[in-house]
């Protein structure tokens, strides 16, 4: 979605208005996250679901989110859609 100039501007405006932050997840990190969850739980995350999971891991690593806090992540897609 944010690949077009219009969407990029909308996303940047939302980030500024919400005083939000952003981070990047590489394709390799998405693959690693999907593999980690598949091995641990047997769930097959979509790439965007894996990106959210890996984003959470980065936020915990950076101490932006405490490791012991309960966090709910939504995986709205399936690995099967992309394979």
């Amino acid at each position: 979605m944010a690949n077009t100039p219009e969407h990029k501007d909308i996303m940047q405006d939302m980030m500024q208005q919400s005083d939000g932050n952003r981070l990047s997840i590489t394709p390799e990190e998405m693959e690693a996250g999907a593999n980690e969850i598949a091995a641990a739980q047997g769930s097959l995350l979509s790439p965007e679901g894996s990106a959210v999971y890996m984003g959470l891991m980065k936020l915990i690593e950076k101490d932006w989110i405490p490791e012991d806090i309960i966090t709910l992540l939504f995986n709205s897609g399936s690995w099967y859609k992309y394979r």
Side-chain angles (χ1 to χ4, degrees), residues 44-49 75-83:
L44 301 174
L45 297 180
S46 62
E48 60 272 19
N75 183 48
S76 59
S78 172
W79 173 86
Y80 291 111
K81 177 180 176 182
Y82 298 92
R83 302 294 173 167

Side-chain angles (χ1 to χ4, degrees), residues 28-82:
E28 295 79 17
E29 290 171 322
M30 282 192 284
E31 186 74 25
N35 290 338
E36 183 178 328
I37 294 297
Q41 299 182 4
S43 297
L44 301 174
L45 297 180
S46 62
E48 60 272 19
S50 180
V52 169
Y53 169 69
M54 293 305 285
L56 174 64
M57 295 298 102
K58 282 187 176 186
L59 294 174
I60 290 170
E61 182 181 298
K62 294 174 183 270
D63 292 328
W64 290 5
I65 295 178
E67 188 172 345
D68 61 346
I69 196 168
I70 295 172
T71 307
L72 176 64
L73 305 176
F74 289 95
N75 183 48
S76 59
S78 172
W79 173 86
Y80 291 111
K81 177 180 176 182
Y82 298 92

